[in-house]
């Protein structure tokens, strides 16, 4: 049976991961726009000075909560991007992790940027980091 590798699956796993965040983080995480795409676009890669789109599995675009001020409201929404093709490439290369676990890991990592988490805080919700 062929495995579901669709964008919809990536979004479902990402939303499930967000719903499983600890209580103090769940509601603020839901305020971040979640975008799932096949690949980062050329302009984004150029802004990040990257050439290979398969090197970027996810991205947080915004101001971390620990750095926000009242003057930061009204701008573009904080956004977490999850990129399907780079995650699939890493999954195939590793060969020893479940796809859903890798997707969840990328989601946690990107939301960690939003929350300004330390590695210890990430490890509390993502065993990947232990």
């Amino acid at each position: 049976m062929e495995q579901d590798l669709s964008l919809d699956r990536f979004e479902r796993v990402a939303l499930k991961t967000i719903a499983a965040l600890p209580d103090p983080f769940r509601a603020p995480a839901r305020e971040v726009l979640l975008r799932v795409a096949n690949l980062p676009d050329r302009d984004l890669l150029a802004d990040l000075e990257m050439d290979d789109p398969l090197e970027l599995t996810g991205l947080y675009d915004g101001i971390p909560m620990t750095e926000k001020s009242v003057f930061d409201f009204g701008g573009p929404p904080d956004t977490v991007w999850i990129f399907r093709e780079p995650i699939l490439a890493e999954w195939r290369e590793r060969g020893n992790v479940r796809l859903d676990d890798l997707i969840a890991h990328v989601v946690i990592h990107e939301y960690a940027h939003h929350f300004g988490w330390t590695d210890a805080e990430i490890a509390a919700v993502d065993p990947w980091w232990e």
Side-chain angles (χ1 to χ4, degrees):
M1 180 171 107
E2 186 173 309
Q3 204 169 24
D4 176 13
L5 303 177
S6 69
L7 287 170
D8 287 341
R9 176 189 182 169
F10 278 65
E11 183 175 17
R12 284 191 310 271
V13 172
L15 292 172
K16 182 178 175 183
T17 301
I18 294 163
L21 288 171
D23 287 334
F25 300 105
R26 195 173 307 126
R30 288 185 176 133
E31 294 175 13
V32 175
L33 183 61
L34 174 67
R35 306 287 265 186
V36 181
N38 276 314
L39 288 166
D41 68 33
R42 284 186 217 139
D43 292 338
L44 176 61
L45 290 172
D47 288 347
L48 297 172
E49 299 180 2
M50 297 177 74
D51 295 321
D52 185 356
L54 295 181
E55 290 182 9
L56 188 63
T57 57
L59 178 74
Y60 169 65
D61 184 15
I63 300 169
M65 290 179 69
T66 55
E67 298 174 18
K68 281 192 189 279
S69 78
V70 293
F71 301 109
D72 293 321
F73 293 98
D78 291 334
T79 305
V80 164
W81 288 89
I82 305 300
F83 300 112
R84 179 181 160 272
E85 289 297 331
I87 292 172
L88 287 173
E90 181 176 337
W91 173 65
R92 289 177 181 124
E93 183 178 312
R94 287 179 177 273
N96 65 348
V97 297
R98 291 181 51 242
L99 179 57
D100 288 1
D101 291 342
L102 183 56
I103 296 167
H105 165 71
V106 173
V107 170
I108 293 293
H109 181 85
E110 298 311 328
Y111 277 87
H113 288 299
H114 173 67
F115 294 122
W117 289 352
T118 66
D119 284 347
E121 291 166 323
I122 296 170
V125 295
D126 185 8
W128 188 287
W129 289 81
E130 292 179 340

